[in-house]
Amino acid sequence: MNHFTRVVCLASAFVVAACGGPQDEQQEQGESLAQQTASLTTATSQGCDYSVASVQVTTAPPTYNIVVTRTGGATCTLATGVSQVIHTVPLDAPSHVAIVGSDQGLAVGLVMRNSWTGSSPKVYGLRHVNPTSLSTVRNADIFCDYMTGSISTGNLSLHSTGTGVSVSGSMACKMNGRQGTFYSASFANFFTSTTPPTITTF
């Protein structure tokens, strides 16, 4: 909601005045928002930089490839410009596509349609990607309970230790038998284990 407010405030001088922010502050907020957006689609692991993108590959029916690319890095010793499709999403364009990384690996997340059926729920797709081979090490998707609804948003973050990741967002469903509007899923050792997340709904 804060991001939405910032965008609205940047869209019109009248709205900026209503928000009470001077022009210099407006520019700083715009730069900050751009940096936050960029940080969601780029990450660093083991000295190399990576990016993630959603690329539409067909139109009838529409499909989208989730592509991870090694883009360089001052101390990167691996080949750059190398890309790998880590997942193909059917029907609807994926949203909230993000990548985070530490020396232990890369994590890629997105909200996506779960199958080729238009009425199928949306889930949060989470992948552990090997930074050297760009192969998928682990699928750790987050689902609503069967036939109860969909996940709407998902924000991916890396734990300060570099060993775990968390996802939080909104949902319109039940998760683990509990109805809620928001969820949080924490993977304590995402890169080194297959332990399921601790999930909280509220």
Side-chain angles (χ1 to χ4, degrees), residues 118-166:
S119 59
S120 64
K122 290 189 175 182
V123 307
Y124 189 85
L126 184 59
R127 304 287 184 269
H128 172 192
V129 176
N130 183 300
T132 302
S133 64
L134 299 184
S135 60
T136 299
V137 179
R138 176 189 183 190
N139 293 344
D141 295 350
I142 301 169
F143 296 85
C144 292
D145 294 349
Y146 182 65
M147 296 289 288
T148 65
S150 288
I151 287 175
S152 304
T153 66
N155 302 300
L156 179 64
S157 61
L158 181 71
H159 292 181
S160 59
T161 59
T163 62
V165 299
S166 291

Side-chain angles (χ1 to χ4, degrees), residues 9 16 21 45 50 55 62 74 90 102 105 110 122 131 142-143 167 173 195 200:
C9 288
V16 170
S45 179
Y50 298 85
V55 180
S102 72
L110 63 149
K122 290 189 175 182
I142 301 169
F143 296 85
V167 181
C173 64
T195 304
T200 304

Side-chain angles (χ1 to χ4, degrees), residues 78-91:
L78 301 172
T80 60
V82 177
S83 297
Q84 178 68 42
V85 176
I86 63 165
H87 191 71
T88 299
V89 179
L91 300 180

Side-chain angles (χ1 to χ4, degrees), residues 10-36:
L10 293 173
S12 163
F14 294 105
V15 179
V16 170
C19 293
Q23 188 167 357
D24 289 345
E25 183 178 335
Q26 171 190 350
Q27 183 176 354
E28 290 175 3
Q29 287 181 345
E31 291 172 354
S32 175
L33 184 60
Q35 290 169 357
Q36 290 172 18

Side-chain angles (χ1 to χ4, degrees), residues 175-197:
M175 194 175 290
N176 290 344
R178 299 183 61 182
Q179 188 74 44
T181 305
F182 300 98
Y183 70 95
S184 175
S186 178
F187 297 80
N189 297 292
F190 181 76
F191 298 111
T192 58
S193 76
T194 56
T195 304

